Amino acid sequence: MSKVDDVLAEYGTTHANQAGIKLADKPQPLYQLLVLTTLMSARIGTDIAVAAAKELWQAGWKTPQAMRDSEWLDRVHALGRGHYVRYDESTARYLVDSAEFLRERYRDDLRGLAEAAGGTVKKLEKLLTEFPRIGPTGAQIFCQEVQAVWPWVRPYFDKRALTGAEKAGLPADPDELSALVPGSDVARLAAALVQVNFHTKKR
């Protein structure tokens, strides 16, 4: 096996996949990715954000309308079941604020966000930071994941992924990295390299 095969075999699961999101260029899974990005934008572990997202799906809040119809305390409790502590109350508010913004700006369909970005990744990043809680890092998380279904975003590797590439002995250049795998696997590779960086730091 090649180095890239080894990396994918050990770490090649996207955050969306971990959270049980069957990512596609459709309103519901794109919204779920936005929610996951919101959860990951707090200073909290990825595994906890993923667990919290699963609790939200279990409660039935997979669409912006369902999120808007939910009660704040119910959202707090769902986040708590995912051990999303310290940020549970504020995030419970952010989730509805984000769903409201999505309705006002994009009529509950994030494909409108892609259209507004006009095929420009920098514009996409900027538009994402207009959502409550999502800052530059959150925008990078969303872009890195959504490239699985929005080919025009590829190749997208944030600094953590590029640092992971160096540590794995792979080229730290987005174009060179993307050439190592089929287009459909670029998002998996990016997610895997983030994990390489994280686990190497821990050691």
Side-chain angles (χ1 to χ4, degrees):
M1 289 175 65
S2 67
K3 287 181 181 178
V4 71
D5 288 333
D6 288 340
V7 168
L8 285 172
E10 186 167 2
Y11 299 115
T13 304
T14 64
H15 298 312
N17 190 264
Q18 291 172 6
I21 302 170
K22 295 180 179 178
L23 199 55
D25 189 23
K26 297 178 180 179
Q28 180 174 308
L30 288 172
Y31 173 66
Q32 288 179 274
L33 178 59
L34 182 71
V35 169
L36 178 61
T37 300
T38 303
L39 296 174
M40 293 179 67
S41 292
R43 290 182 175 274
I44 204 156
T46 299
D47 55 341
I48 294 175
V50 166
K54 289 180 176 178
E55 290 294 339
L56 296 176
W57 315 153
Q58 185 66 30
W61 306 322
K62 296 181 179 181
T63 67
Q65 185 62 58
M67 191 67 75
R68 289 191 295 267
D69 289 342
S70 65
E71 296 293 333
W72 174 78
L73 191 57
D74 291 336
R75 296 192 300 276
V76 170
H77 288 160
L79 293 170
R81 290 193 296 273
H83 304 290
Y84 198 92
V85 294
R86 287 190 299 156
Y87 302 100
D88 52 354
E89 295 187 1
S90 61
T91 299
R93 289 192 297 270
Y94 281 125
L95 289 172
V96 162
D97 291 345
S98 180
E100 292 282 6
F101 181 80
L102 179 56
R103 175 170 60 185
E104 293 167 6
R105 184 64 60 90
Y106 302 111
R107 290 180 290 182
D108 282 350
D109 189 344
L110 279 169
R111 290 175 298 184
L113 170 67
E115 185 177 342
T120 304
V121 175
K122 287 296 181 186
K123 182 72 177 294
L124 175 61
E125 291 175 328
K126 184 178 180 181
L127 291 172
L128 283 163
T129 62
E130 295 179 352
F131 283 89
R133 173 161 275 173
I134 296 178
T137 299
Q140 291 174 2
I141 291 169
F142 185 94
C143 290
Q144 200 154 255
E145 293 279 314
V146 84
Q147 68 181 326
V149 295
W150 288 354
W152 61 273
V153 179
R154 300 174 196 154
Y156 195 101
F157 296 88
D158 66 16
K159 290 181 179 179
R160 298 170 305 158
L162 294 177
T163 301
E166 289 182 344
K167 292 177 178 179
L170 294 171
D173 175 83
D175 291 322
E176 290 182 40
L177 281 171
S178 65
L180 298 176
V181 294
S184 57
D185 278 342
V186 174
R188 286 184 60 224
L189 179 58
L193 293 174
V194 170
Q195 288 301 305
V196 169
N197 182 45
F198 175 73
H199 288 285
T200 306
K201 279 168 61 177
K202 284 185 70 177
R203 292 174 193 152

